[in-house]
Amino acid sequence: MKLSDAAKSWHTDGFAILPAFIPPEELAPVVRDLPSQFPTAEGFHDGTDARRDRFIGDEFAGIDTFPFKSTELSLLAVSERLLELASVLLDDSDFHLYGAESWAKFTGACDYDQDLHRDYLNHSILVPSTTPGCRQVEIFVFLTDVPEDLGPPHLVSRRHTDRLPALPNWFLRPGQVSESRYTDDSGSPELYAAEVSGAGPAGTVIAFEPGTVHRGTGLTAPRGARYSMQVCFRPAQLQWGQRVGWAVRSFSSEWSAFVGRATARQLQALGFPPPGHPYWTAETLAGMALRYPSLDLAPWTRAE
């Protein structure tokens, strides 16, 4: 899919599916590093990996937050391909990564089959907007193949949801009852009938808005494992789109390892001022050299 076609789909449907968008050669170092981040399928299902119990009983227990133990995975979160995609979808060259998570799921660990919902409640202090400059984008990246029996996300086009009010946010499957104002317990047959599968090979990318109705699905493949990453971008000036603050993680060894290998453009997506910004002075450059000894300061020094 061309990026222009992806943008059209994202604007029309609220999502775009780009099969194998990340090529094998760019995924290879990440896949080689995955065992440092998560158990292998064999290690989980054979019970030989001591990290196994962490994943039992809670679908969200398999989430790790950026910066990752694997520097290769951290670099993929702000790879040139993903930055270019975010730039095209947001129609903006100045944008920030406001969330990044890697996620491992294993068949039988727990019930991963979700109800349809929207993500905006924990991605914004406001409600979703389609106004240019006021949109956010979430991106799923499949690190390995995710066929239908390994729990791909299902999504519902805006064509079927554009008249939905901001609340309720969760649309429960039949048989469930809730009195919360955040949930609709009618069964929502029209939404479940309209959902589209995002199944695809390794490297597939699914870009969607926090206001897009979607859900995770269950894993049924025998001895199955699914590895993915979610990254979230917003225009730099869009202050109401929030997930985490990077400063709280910025003195970890994982962060320093990432910074030492990242480009100026990648670091700008994390909030570093671009080359030529008034922030960059002899004083701050000297300080940055002390804080990040492995960071090549040339891009900022040349523009000082």
Side-chain angles (χ1 to χ4, degrees):
M1 178 182 285
K2 297 178 181 179
L3 292 186
S4 58
D5 292 335
K8 182 178 179 180
S9 178
W10 187 68
H11 284 286
T12 302
D13 296 314
F15 65 88
I17 301 173
L18 295 84
F21 182 69
I22 308 295
E25 62 271 18
E26 294 182 23
L27 274 183
V30 175
V31 173
R32 285 195 297 268
D33 255 9
L34 277 178
S36 72
Q37 192 81 28
F38 299 117
T40 63
E42 293 76 15
F44 177 85
H45 291 291
D46 293 338
T48 57
D49 193 306
R51 299 170 291 181
R52 179 182 188 274
D53 289 350
R54 159 191 163 183
F55 301 87
I56 304 298
D58 180 354
E59 66 170 310
F60 301 112
I63 294 176
D64 284 347
T65 303
F66 182 96
F68 307 116
K69 183 177 294 185
S70 165
T71 304
E72 298 291 350
L73 188 55
S74 293
L75 290 168
L76 180 63
V78 284
S79 69
E80 287 300 317
R81 290 183 191 276
L82 293 182
L83 293 181
E84 183 64 22
L85 175 62
S87 179
V88 169
L89 296 183
L90 295 174
D91 193 23
D92 199 331
S93 60
D94 187 13
F95 54 88
H96 286 172
L97 179 81
Y98 73 87
E101 299 170 341
S102 56
W103 198 348
K105 299 181 178 183
F106 301 94
T107 302
C110 61
D111 182 7
Y112 297 107
D113 205 24
Q114 298 176 335
D115 297 303
L116 286 171
H117 63 280
R118 294 172 282 198
D119 280 353
Y120 80 87
L121 289 180
N122 60 6
H123 284 252
S124 173
I125 57 175
L126 304 180
V127 296
S129 170
T130 57
T131 301
C134 298
R135 306 176 80 167
Q136 300 164 234
V137 60
E138 299 182 62
I139 300 175
F140 288 143
V141 182
F142 294 170
L143 305 177
T144 52
D145 294 344
V146 183
E148 197 61 35
D149 60 1
L150 283 180
H154 285 188
L155 307 100
V156 181
S157 169
R158 186 185 288 121
R159 303 168 196 267
H160 303 282
T161 65
D162 61 356
R163 295 185 181 277
L164 290 176
L167 292 179
N169 188 70
W170 282 274
F171 303 90
L172 306 185
R173 287 164 291 175
Q176 302 180 77
V177 178
S178 173
E179 296 182 359
S180 169
R181 71 189 186 98
Y182 291 103
T183 58
D184 177 344
D185 59 7
S186 69
S188 303
E190 71 289 350
L191 294 182
Y192 284 91
E195 63 181 15
V196 173
S197 174
T204 291
V205 160
I206 302 174
F208 63 105
E209 296 180 287
T212 298
V213 174
H214 69 288
R215 69 186 183 97
T217 62
L219 278 69
T220 59
R223 295 173 60 84
R226 197 202 89 167
Y227 304 96
S228 64
M229 179 169 61
Q230 180 187 23
V231 294
C232 312
F233 296 98
R234 60 167 175 82
Q237 80 282 357
L238 194 153
Q239 296 301 312
W240 55 85
Q242 306 168 0
R243 189 115 169 116
V244 296
W246 299 125
V248 73
R249 296 173 170 84
S250 67
F251 50 90
S252 67
S253 59
E254 292 85 357
W255 177 273
S256 295
F258 162 75
V259 168
R261 292 183 55 192
T263 66
R265 186 186 186 203
Q266 289 176 311
L267 293 172
Q268 185 177 340
L270 273 296
F272 277 48
H277 190 280
Y279 171 84
W280 298 109
T281 63
E283 176 191 20
T284 57
L285 288 166
M288 290 291 280
L290 288 174
R291 181 168 185 176
Y292 300 115
S294 59
L295 175 62
D296 179 6
L297 290 167
W300 300 277
T301 303
R302 287 194 297 266
E304 185 190 356

